[in-house]
Amino acid sequence: MMRLDKFLAKMGAGSRQEVKSYIRKGMVSVNGETVSRPETKIDEEKDEIFLQGKRIAYAAFEYYMLNKPAGVISATEDKKETTVVDLIREKKRKDLFPVGRLDKDTEGLLLITNDGVLAHRLLSPNHHVDKTYFVRVHGRVTEEEEKSFLAGVNIGTGDEEEWTRPARLEILKSGEESEVRLTIQEGKYHQIKRMFQAVGMEVLYLKRLSMGKLTLDPGLKPGEYRLLTEKELCDVTDENAGRH
């Protein structure tokens, strides 16, 4: 059981003070009856709650696929910058967060949810979840880099060593500017940029294509998003057996 005002605020109907005002003004009904007391207890999973005739359905968890555009930061809130959560306009939950971070200038697949258990399993290196990126770099990528990345790269600075786990590098185009598909199972700070920097190359463009079985919908333009399909959600949770 949950307080009515708390439920409405959690489902994004307004701030706690705003929804209290809605309730006291008779704008909210529970199971067909108008309710005027914010502290009224409701069963969030069974009761039917309407605000000004619009059904407010309970959502314990939300899962959105976002094609993150460049120029947006991977955070829940920021006073100066637009965040990835700001882009999710129809969200019900106020506790959404991005699963992992993409640099401000990086594009591509980002999962936005409030499911902390799932997020931990997807991000933990111990679960060996593949993260695949399209990368354009300044420099000629050869089989030598393929072997180096597969063996692990030292991305440390100075005398401090910091080795990456083995990564799979597929060369798509090799030249003054090269294009590759790179798969890693970690998420170290600026990892991909530092990996290429370690072999004398500069990343010009970076886009995440997939995370485990979750693949970026090619129909989503940068900045667009949608809810995960049932199959996608099943695929993600199947990869993390034991969660439910």
Side-chain angles (χ1 to χ4, degrees):
M1 303 293 282
M2 185 186 297
R3 281 178 58 120
L4 179 58
D5 57 347
K6 183 178 180 181
F7 166 81
L8 290 171
K10 273 196 164 190
M11 293 304 103
S15 68
R16 197 71 175 266
Q17 290 305 312
E18 286 172 336
V19 298
K20 282 182 179 180
S21 176
Y22 299 154
I23 296 167
R24 291 186 179 120
K25 289 178 179 177
M27 298 163 65
V28 178
S29 68
V30 178
N31 298 327
E33 294 187 10
T34 300
V35 176
S36 58
R37 294 170 55 242
E39 65 273 18
T40 299
K41 291 293 180 69
I42 55 108
D43 184 328
E44 63 271 22
E45 294 188 6
K46 294 181 180 178
D47 291 337
E48 293 189 347
I49 293 91
F50 285 80
L51 171 61
Q52 287 188 299
K54 179 184 177 183
R55 174 83 183 274
I56 307 296
Y58 179 66
F61 296 108
E62 287 190 287
Y63 306 88
Y64 293 94
M65 176 189 294
L66 170 70
N67 185 353
K68 179 194 171 297
V72 176
I73 63 171
S74 296
T76 55
E77 57 182 356
D78 191 276
K79 292 181 179 178
K80 295 181 179 178
E81 304 272 7
T82 300
T83 73
V84 291
V85 173
D86 291 335
L87 299 179
I88 312 297
R89 293 178 296 279
E90 289 86 10
K91 55 185 176 283
K92 292 181 179 179
R93 305 286 313 198
K94 287 190 172 182
D95 52 355
L96 297 179
F97 59 88
V99 177
R101 291 177 177 272
L102 294 179
D103 294 342
K104 185 176 179 180
D105 59 349
T106 299
E107 299 181 4
L109 175 67
L110 197 58
L111 176 61
I112 310 289
T113 186
N114 61 321
D115 190 336
V117 175
L118 176 61
H120 172 74
R121 291 182 178 275
L122 285 171
L123 295 173
S124 172
N126 295 329
H127 287 90
H128 306 291
V129 176
D130 285 345
K131 303 170 187 70
T132 300
Y133 297 78
F134 170 80
V135 195
R136 186 181 300 121
V137 299
H138 181 69
R140 185 179 296 276
V141 180
T142 67
E143 288 184 7
E144 186 177 341
E145 283 70 45
E146 280 186 357
K147 293 175 183 176
S148 295
F149 279 37
L150 193 58
V153 180
N154 178 16
I155 58 174
T157 54
D159 296 330
E160 223 173 278
E161 292 189 353
E162 184 180 357
W163 290 87
T164 64
R165 291 192 177 193
R168 299 194 306 275
L169 181 64
E170 178 189 353
I171 300 172
L172 304 175
K173 172 187 170 185
S174 182
E176 277 190 36
E177 284 189 10
S178 298
E179 295 179 355
V180 304
R181 186 178 287 111
L182 177 66
T183 300
I184 62 175
Q185 293 182 339
E186 304 170 280
K188 295 178 183 290
Y189 181 70
H190 291 327
Q191 179 171 338
I192 294 176
K193 293 175 181 176
R194 292 163 69 196
M195 289 174 77
F196 280 101
Q197 190 175 27
V199 294
M201 299 181 192
E202 178 189 3
V203 170
L204 303 174
Y205 176 78
L206 184 58
K207 178 178 183 178
R208 183 153 69 192
L209 304 175
S210 65
M211 190 174 190
K213 293 181 182 178
L214 189 62
T215 301
L216 180 64
D217 184 338
L220 288 179
K221 297 175 183 177
E224 293 184 340
Y225 62 92
R226 63 165 172 77
L227 288 166
L228 292 193
T229 65
E230 286 294 328
K231 183 181 185 307
E232 287 168 339
L233 187 53
C234 284
D235 284 344
V236 172
T237 52
D238 282 349
E239 285 182 318
N240 301 279
R243 186 194 168 283
H244 291 301

